[in-house]
């Protein structure tokens, strides 16, 4: 009943988005990629100054990472009305993961397997190719369109799937006595879900700010949704940063894709670029996760050996 009421009220607002000069697709792609790089750098800064410190928010240097995240988010915000959500998310995610991988190896001395390196190469090539492909339709978003998207069956089903996945991972982690690997994975997926939710109002807020100036209660609600999800995203991702930077990624593009329903020209070049990016993500994450499991087994074996010697 509440959802239907909000939807009805949204239909009664002005919600008509006036014309706005379009940012060239190449510029929007660049904004998305640079935003992803800044997100990756932010993770490294927050990991360096916050890892293992429960009072990390009191460390002024930790907030440098939050500032980088904010700048990257601002670039992403500016590009959101001009690129299909699937394309923009893929560019940002790949740029973020490549940056996290490079900083993890060179700054945190994390091991990188051959498959991981091949994965980074695939992601980089896929990202560059995607930037030069046909990008499909995007556009400004009215109040009506925003609440229609939130109430759509595809979007609600995507949320159910995400909640089931996150809940299942936390249940699996509890069965493993909250070991570092499974807990970090659960935190990472929960952070990805929060990240996907906080992105949803972005195009709507950009439309209000740049074009319609339709300042209603719904803008406040959208802003509250974004800010609350951002808070949980930062907190959950900080917990996930206890693991390797290689593993931290986001597949929350599914939420934006089901809500916005942007049309993407699926040419052979676009399809190849998307497949290369997806394959690169898999090749990058799986070896790093396996290495985490191997390190955990070695640590457990070392503890068992020490205990047996004491006995």
């Amino acid at each position: 009943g509440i959802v239907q009421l909000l939807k009805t009220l949204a239909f009664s607002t002005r919600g008509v988005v006036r014309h706005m000069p379009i940012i060239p697709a190449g510029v929007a792609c660049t904004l998305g990629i640079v935003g992803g790089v800044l997100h990756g750098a932010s993770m490294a800064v927050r990991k360096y100054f916050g890892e293992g410190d429960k009072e990390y928010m009191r460390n002024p240097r930790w907030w440098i990472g939050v500032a980088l995240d904010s700048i990257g988010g601002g670039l992403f915000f500016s590009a959101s009305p001009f690129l299909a959500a699937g394309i923009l998310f893929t560019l940002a995610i790949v740029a973020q993961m490549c940056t996290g991988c490079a900083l993890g190896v060179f700054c945190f001395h994390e091991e990188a397997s051959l498959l991981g390196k091949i994965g980074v190469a695939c992601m980089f090539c896929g990202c560059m190719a995607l930037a030069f492909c046909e990008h499909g339709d995007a556009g400004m978003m009215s109040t009506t369109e925003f609440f229609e998207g939130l109430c759509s069956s595809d979007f609600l089903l995507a949320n159910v799937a995400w909640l089931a996945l996150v809940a299942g991972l936390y249940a699996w982690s509890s069965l493993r006595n909250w070991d570092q690997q499974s807990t970090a994975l659960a935190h990472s997926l929960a952070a990805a879900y929060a990240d996907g939710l906080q992105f949803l109002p972005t195009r709507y807020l950009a439309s209000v700010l740049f074009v319609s100036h339709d300042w209603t209660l719904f803008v406040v609600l959208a802003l509250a949704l974004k800010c609350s999800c951002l808070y949980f995203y930062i907190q959950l991702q900080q917990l996930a940063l206890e693991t390797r930077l290689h593993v931290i990624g986001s597949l929350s593009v599914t939420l934006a894709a089901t809500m916005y329903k942007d049309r993407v020209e699926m040419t052979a070049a676009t399809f190849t670029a998307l497949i290369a990016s997806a394959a690169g993500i898999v090749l990058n994450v799986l070896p790093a996760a396996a290495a985490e499991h191997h390190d955990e087994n070695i640590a457990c074996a070392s503890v068992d050996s020490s205990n047996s010697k004491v006995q």
Side-chain angles (χ1 to χ4, degrees), residues 10-25:
F11 288 158
S12 67
T13 62
R14 284 182 289 143
V16 178
V17 177
R18 296 189 294 272
H19 177 72
M20 176 181 179
I22 297 177
I23 291 178

Side-chain angles (χ1 to χ4, degrees), residues 64-75:
I64 297 174
V66 177
L68 290 174
D69 230 348
S70 301
I71 296 171
L75 298 177

Side-chain angles (χ1 to χ4, degrees), residues 42-281:
S42 165
M43 290 194 307
V45 172
R46 288 187 284 119
K47 177 181 176 70
Y48 185 78
F49 292 116
E51 187 174 17
D53 182 7
K54 293 183 179 180
E55 301 293 329
Y56 56 84
M57 294 186 73
R58 295 187 178 184
N59 185 345
R61 293 174 294 182
W62 180 83
W63 287 93
I64 297 174
V66 177
L68 290 174
D69 230 348
S70 301
I71 296 171
L75 298 177
F76 201 81
F77 179 91
S78 302
S80 62
F82 307 106
L83 274 183
I87 301 296
L88 180 58
F89 251 92
T90 302
L91 290 172
I93 290 166
V94 167
Q96 173 184 323
M97 294 187 72
C98 286
T99 304
C101 181
L103 292 174
V105 170
F106 293 110
C107 297
F108 294 93
H109 308 294
E110 298 174 354
E111 294 181 4
S113 66
L114 177 60
L115 281 179
K117 294 175 183 176
I118 294 174
V120 171
C122 287
M123 285 194 294
F124 180 80
C125 293
C127 181
M128 291 299 100
L130 198 58
F132 290 97
C133 290
E134 294 292 331
H135 300 106
D137 291 337
M140 295 295 160
M141 176 170 273
S142 67
T143 304
T144 299
E145 291 168 334
F146 177 63
F147 282 97
E148 273 188 326
L150 287 180
C151 299
S152 68
S153 58
D154 290 343
F155 175 71
L156 294 176
L157 285 174
N159 275 274
V160 170
W162 264 97
L163 288 171
L165 177 61
V166 172
L169 281 172
Y170 276 114
W172 176 59
S173 180
S174 69
L175 293 175
R176 295 183 52 139
N177 297 318
W178 303 102
D179 64 289
Q180 184 181 24
Q181 180 200 4
S182 60
T183 305
L185 180 61
H187 289 326
S188 177
L189 264 293
Y193 179 56
D195 186 28
L197 288 178
Q198 71 82 21
F199 171 75
L200 298 177
T202 298
R203 185 181 295 178
Y204 169 56
L205 292 173
S207 301
V208 172
L209 179 64
F210 296 139
V211 181
S212 70
H213 308 298
D214 190 13
W215 304 103
T216 65
L217 174 62
F218 299 104
V219 176
V220 178
L221 293 175
L223 192 58
L225 171 64
K226 186 174 184 68
C227 290
S228 58
C229 289
L230 271 173
Y231 173 79
F232 286 111
Y233 160 69
I234 290 175
Q235 298 299 323
L236 288 166
Q237 192 181 68
Q238 187 65 40
L239 294 172
L241 287 172
E242 298 293 328
T243 188
R244 299 166 186 251
L245 285 173
H246 296 55
V247 184
I248 307 299
S250 173
L251 302 177
S252 47
V253 61
T254 51
L255 293 175
T258 54
M259 177 179 169
Y260 289 147
K261 295 181 174 61
D262 295 331
R263 185 180 63 84
V264 177
E265 290 289 342
M266 195 54 68
T267 62
T270 305
F271 180 76
T272 303
L274 288 171
I275 290 297
S277 300
I281 291 173

